[in-house]
Amino acid sequence: MPEAPTGYKEVKAEIVRRVRDRTWPPGALLPSEIDLSGELGCARATVNRAMRELADEGLLERRRRAGTRVRTAPQRQARLDIPITRDEVEATGAAYRYALVERSVGPAPDWLSARIGLPSSGKVLHLIAMHFADQSPYQHEERWINLAAVPDAAQADFSRTGPNEWLVRDMPFNDIRLDLRAGAATPTVAAFLEIAIESPVFVAERVTRLDGVAITLARLSFPPGYRMRLQT
Amino acid sequence: MPEAPTGYKEVKAEIVRRVRDRTWPPGALLPSEIDLSGELGCARATVNRAMRELADEGLLERRRRAGTRVRTAPQRQARLDIPITRDEVEATGAAYRYALVERSVGPAPDWLSARIGLPSSGKVLHLIAMHFADQSPYQHEERWINLAAVPDAAQADFSRTGPNEWLVRDMPFNDIRLDLRAGAATPTVAAFLEIAIESPVFVAERVTRLDGVAITLARLSFPPGYRMRLQT
DNA sequence: GAGTGGTCTAGACCACGGT
DNA sequence: CCGTGGTCTAGACCACTCC
């Protein structure tokens, strides 16, 4: 037997191997941590970590007393890393450019209050901006910021730094909700993205909250060709 | 000091607290595991697990010798729960219907081999299917299954059960990659979805792997109006 | 070279939940 | 009840990397 350096990674690999070759088919009960550590010649804690990570990854299912089983319906979750637009552009090797198009302060429109849960008559900062990659339009951004939650935003200078970069600097813990859809380019957005009207645009609407209070709603529109990537 | 039951969860909470209240501002160097375990009165392994999980979650950044720091740009993540199409439709209260359109077995086309990493001359099962919600087209599905990894799929009956339901039941996997984009409906897809050619369609391409080996590639197209939701 | 995180061990106690 | 996973401990060695 491969009694090589028996680390938790080797244990994970061995378990995956046996799941894959049907030694342990979906639904099967695996040996207990004690038994498996005995067989593989390592400490129980090592097997524990391997099994725990595989359970986190969705391959296994663990219950006290009942033991560890191969999931029949693997927990299917993918994660999206939400990047700063600047980083996202620069990661492709392109030069990033940002431009503020419009800025205004006023009472929140009714649809916005309803959408993200603001008190009526709440003041919001409304921004429209563009992001470019090597002079090509990369993203059209329309954003509303709840000034009751982020009063400093009223004084912030968004002509050089995008609102997302500014907001991210100070708020590590928010609830984020993302709505993704395919839409047809409106005349305005089409002009900014330099595409034909009615072209398919990828639209991401992101609501950010802190302790339940809405901070901002961002509507990001991307021209055809943009891909959003998620992984496990 | 809160010398309560000092478990790794309490340690995590304490670290989060100090990051939030600026005891450790973004970019700050945290104490070493040994120092912190001394201060909190627990074993180093406990602090290690707490810090390791917080690093996995994107709050901290760890490097040997350099120590542990608070991330300056917290990597924000949103999660997508990938549902079975049947469940997704039935959750809206609509009746679900599935229909197999086409089924064939053959060598993998070059683009597919390159895209998901198959040996040339690998055999794949190619399927086209439709999913309906109350008789309205809900999703057009085109799928390729790697028969080297899932030989049983060649004998499976996909006329009643969708390939996704079948795969999920019988085939474990632990790595999912999703590519989302907005596309223009091709004549074929437009006909199936009963929409105009060139209409914006939401396209999700999903590659599923087990231990690095590609199981299947699914290309799912949704008519206008579909929204995909993610949250933290 | 020295300090930090990465990991393993052997043992222990606890909490949960099937039987 | 009692076996299983969940967690903690104290100690140890290793690998990497910054100085």
Side-chain angles (χ1 to χ4, degrees), chain A residues 11-26:
Chain A
V11 175
K12 280 179 73 171
E14 179 61 25
I15 293 172
V16 169
R17 206 172 301 130
R18 296 188 189 182
V19 167
R20 201 170 151 194
D21 70 13
R22 308 289 186 173
T23 304
W24 297 323

Side-chain angles (χ1 to χ4, degrees), chain B:
Chain B
M1 307 314 134
E3 302 299 350
T6 310
Y8 82 96
K9 288 176 182 171
E10 282 78 14
V11 175
K12 281 180 73 171
E14 179 62 24
I15 293 172
V16 168
R17 207 172 299 128
R18 295 187 188 184
V19 170
R20 283 186 92 151
D21 70 13
R22 305 291 186 180
T23 303
W24 298 325
L29 182 65
L30 271 62
S32 74
E33 296 183 347
I34 296 176
D35 291 347
L36 195 54
S37 62
E39 185 203 334
L40 298 178
C42 63
R44 184 191 152 213
T46 305
V47 173
N48 176 277
R49 181 165 179 190
M51 284 183 163
R52 175 160 41 81
E53 291 197 357
L54 287 172
D56 286 343
E57 292 165 17
L59 182 67
L60 306 179
E61 191 171 13
R62 320 194 75 195
R63 271 155 53 210
R64 287 173 147 115
R65 170 72 195 184
T68 301
R69 294 181 176 277
V70 181
R71 285 195 108 107
T72 47
Q75 191 176 27
R76 296 156 184 238
Q77 296 179 337
R79 291 189 315 179
L80 171 68
D81 294 323
I82 303 169
I84 307 287
T85 303
R86 174 192 297 279
D87 300 337
E88 193 178 21
V89 168
E90 291 179 344
T92 69
Y96 172 74
R97 191 167 71 80
Y98 160 84
L100 178 64
V101 175
E102 194 182 311
R103 177 190 182 285
S104 62
V105 174
D110 290 341
W111 68 266
L112 181 63
S113 301
R115 172 96 158 72
I116 66 178
L118 294 181
S120 59
S121 83
K123 287 218 168 183
V124 294
L125 174 62
H126 180 215
L127 299 166
I128 296 178
M130 278 295 301
H131 304 262
F132 298 86
D134 277 345
Q135 309 306 323
S136 304
Y138 181 81
Q139 176 195 119
H140 176 269
E141 171 178 4
E142 186 164 15
R143 180 183 291 269
W144 294 263
I145 299 176
N146 177 10
L147 288 177
V150 200
D152 290 352
Q155 276 75 44
D157 174 21
F158 292 118
S159 61
R160 295 183 144 198
T161 307
N164 197 33
E165 288 184 58
W166 185 89
L167 283 166
V168 151
R169 182 163 25 84
D170 264 34
M171 197 60 205
F173 52 83
N174 55 12
D175 181 66
I176 302 174
R177 296 213 178 175
L178 256 179
D179 261 24
L180 308 177
R181 66 172 205 267
T186 62
T188 308
V189 170
F192 278 116
L193 293 180
E194 297 174 13
I195 58 177
I197 295 173
E198 301 290 319
S199 297
V201 283
F202 188 90
V203 181
E205 284 192 3
R206 186 166 69 219
V207 179
T208 303
R209 288 188 162 82
L210 175 60
D211 201 25
V213 177
I215 303 294
T216 183
L217 165 64
R219 179 183 295 146
L220 313 176
S221 303
F222 299 85
Y226 178 77
R227 284 169 178 249
M228 185 171 273
R229 261 192 186 170
L230 290 80
Q231 50 184 294
T232 308

Side-chain angles (χ1 to χ4, degrees), chain A residues 47-67:
Chain A
V47 173
N48 177 277
R49 182 166 177 188
M51 284 183 162
R52 175 158 42 80
E53 290 197 357
L54 287 172
D56 287 343
E57 292 166 18
L59 183 68
L60 305 179
E61 187 173 16
R62 320 195 73 195
R63 270 152 55 208
R64 289 174 146 111
R65 170 71 195 185

Side-chain angles (χ1 to χ4, degrees), chain A residues 82-117:
Chain A
I82 301 171
I84 307 288
T85 303
R86 174 191 298 278
D87 300 336
E88 194 177 20
V89 168
E90 291 178 345
T92 70
Y96 172 75
R97 191 166 71 79
Y98 160 83
L100 179 64
V101 175
E102 192 184 311
R103 178 191 182 284
S104 63
V105 175
D110 289 341
W111 68 265
L112 181 63
S113 301
R115 173 95 159 73
I116 65 177

Side-chain angles (χ1 to χ4, degrees), chain A residues 6-9 41-46 49 63-65:
Chain A
T6 311
Y8 80 97
K9 288 177 181 171
C42 63
R44 183 191 151 214
T46 304
R49 182 166 177 188
R63 270 152 55 208
R64 289 174 146 111
R65 170 71 195 185

